[in-house]
Amino acid sequence: MLETVQAAPPDAILGLTAAFKEDARPEKINLSVGVYQDENGRTPTLASVTAAEQRLAAAASVKSYLPIPGAPEYGDIVRQLAFGAEHEVVQSARAATAHTPGGTGALRVAGDFLTANFPNLTLWMSEPTWPNHPNIFTAAGVPLKSYPYFDKATNALNFDAMLAAINEIPSGDAILLHGCCHNPTGIDPTPEQWEQIADAVYGRGVLPILDFAYQGFADGIEDDAVGLRAFARPGAELLVCSSFSKNFGLYRERVGALTIVCPQADQVKAIQSQMNKVIRCNYSNPPAHGAAIVNTILRDSELHSQWEGEVATMRDRINGMRQQLVDSLVEKQVPGDYSFITAQRGMFSFSGLTKDQVETLRTEHAIYIVGSGRINVAGLTPSNVDHVAEAISQVVGQPA
Ligand code: LMR
């Protein structure tokens, strides 16, 4: 039987990292997967994480199973980080949280939860979106449609078209939004636009799902929650998929969470039981280590402020590299206006490079970026940015 199985196509993002590893050219640069690198091209383990791990190692070790939704104190702290400790959603205890293996795990549990409880629902995604979004929800059996998001002509949010599309979504469907640092475009709604989006979504009777993977990478931990909090209205329901891969640098520990905010606290038990049901037949219960680190840091005021400082350092370095990339492109007189790169937020820049140009960057310059033209700005360093700008200048000069 197995002889009949055909090879699957490589993953749009992680497939590139696999190809990068095989590439023997010493000058190669990986700007594909969203992983932060410091100015020396290293992905650091945060000092707050190391300190938390030392404390955990010194404490008594327990290796028995966690509960299906993870440790309750982790769920509490995840909600406090997303909504704010004093927020009504937290205070009224009307949200259920499951600790999941990464943000991807949170999205998959959300997909399984939707299929199990709302089999006729369609999920609406932004065009474009993270290439793994359709993979995850299709695997979970959720039908998909898309709404417009990006205006190619202006390199900005196509807000009118987005809002008009939301106003056509049938009641009882769900919509997936990027809580901040939209992946791949790096373009987010303004706080006022978030309010209008929430008005439209709730006005239509549509269930919002916020993918919240980059808190702290745009303006700050609190500021970046403004979109999510626009949805956290009294009595309103929403799903939040958190990831701590980027803002804690815990990529390989696979630590995330799915939070479902219910209209009333008395619905939490039923919702939690349905989450538990889909988790139990998937990975049974979560891996402990990453969540223990996050919990330790966020519950200790010293480690918490050290961590916030480290997130600010990553954010500032990325923004500095945005500026350096633009300066270098201007200096090389690359045709086109690239100033939009400094207006984008988070790890990524949607460069506008075509598929062919992306391919040429890889084959002729050993520079790996995602096929959509998405550049991981967090992979640029003072020593590679000029080389990248030079390569872009060469491919932009070629016919698309
Ligand atoms: C990305 O978009 O590069 C990251 O979210 C990593 C991933 O899993 O694709």
Side-chain angles (χ1 to χ4, degrees), residues 296-316:
T296 303
I297 293 174
L298 295 181
R299 287 183 184 279
D300 180 277
S301 58
E302 202 184 311
L303 290 182
H304 195 141
S305 47
Q306 182 181 18
W307 168 70
E308 289 212 14
E310 292 184 289
V311 176
T313 300
M314 293 194 278
R315 179 173 66 240
D316 293 346

Side-chain angles (χ1 to χ4, degrees), residues 11-14 17 31-35 104 130-132 183-184 211 213-214 243 245-246 251 254 347-348 370 374 376:
D11 182 76
I13 296 175
L14 298 185
T17 295
L31 303 177
S32 57
V33 67
V35 173
T104 301
W130 180 46
N132 211 21
N183 179 1
D211 185 353
Y214 296 91
S243 167
S245 296
K246 330 280 174 175
Y251 307 90
R254 310 308 301 137
M347 277 189 161
F348 305 118
V370 176
R374 188 195 82 171
N376 175 26

Side-chain angles (χ1 to χ4, degrees), residues 339-370:
S339 58
F340 64 84
I341 291 175
T342 52
Q344 295 168 337
R345 298 141 60 83
M347 277 189 161
F348 305 118
S349 174
F350 210 44
S351 64
L353 292 170
T354 65
K355 260 198 164 14
D356 287 348
Q357 290 167 337
V358 169
E359 181 67 9
T360 309
L361 275 181
R362 188 173 62 78
T363 53
E364 289 181 16
H365 302 276
I367 296 173
Y368 287 69
I369 70 171
V370 176

Side-chain angles (χ1 to χ4, degrees), residues 71-280:
E73 61 270 23
Y74 172 74
D76 286 344
I77 207 75
V78 167
R79 292 190 292 272
Q80 288 179 31
L81 187 67
F83 298 102
E86 304 307 320
H87 195 281
E88 176 273 329
V89 163
V90 174
Q91 294 296 323
S92 64
R94 63 180 178 94
T97 300
H99 158 196
T100 57
T104 301
L107 289 158
R108 179 58 194 257
V109 172
D112 289 342
F113 171 86
L114 293 179
T115 306
N117 293 285
F118 308 102
N120 299 320
L121 161 156
T122 292
L123 176 64
W124 295 71
M125 298 185 170
S126 66
E127 172 52 42
T129 194
W130 180 46
N132 211 21
H133 277 152
N135 296 341
I136 293 167
F137 286 97
T138 300
V142 181
L144 304 177
K145 286 194 176 151
S146 63
Y147 59 88
Y149 189 82
F150 179 65
D151 182 4
K152 229 178 162 166
T154 56
N155 280 302
L157 177 63
N158 195 346
F159 184 63
D160 291 346
M162 177 189 186
L163 211 57
I166 292 173
N167 279 318
E168 297 290 315
I169 298 180
S171 171
D173 278 356
I175 182 169
L176 181 66
L177 297 143
H178 299 224
C180 65
C181 307
H182 183 271
N183 179 1
T185 66
I187 295 161
D188 291 335
T190 64
E192 296 71 33
Q193 288 172 332
W194 273 120
E195 290 295 337
Q196 285 175 266
I197 294 167
D199 286 346
V201 167
Y202 287 135
R204 294 294 300 171
V206 167
L207 179 65
I209 304 173
L210 278 97
D211 185 353
F212 199 40
Y214 296 91
Q215 186 178 8
F217 275 77
D219 297 320
I221 301 293
E222 287 298 301
D223 292 343
D224 292 357
V226 68
L228 182 147
R229 292 178 194 175
F231 281 89
R233 299 175 172 180
E237 51 190 30
L238 78 143
L239 276 63
V240 180
C241 299
S242 304
S243 167
F244 302 118
S245 296
K246 330 280 174 175
N247 51 11
F248 283 82
L250 286 171
Y251 307 90
R252 66 173 59 182
E253 298 298 352
R254 310 308 301 137
V255 49
L258 170 64
T259 296
I260 303 187
V261 181
C262 308
Q264 307 286 344
D266 61 6
Q267 288 139 355
V268 167
K269 215 169 159 190
I271 294 295
Q272 186 80 67
S273 72
Q274 290 292 343
M275 278 204 274
N276 291 359
K277 188 172 171 210
V278 295
I279 290 168
R280 176 64 173 140

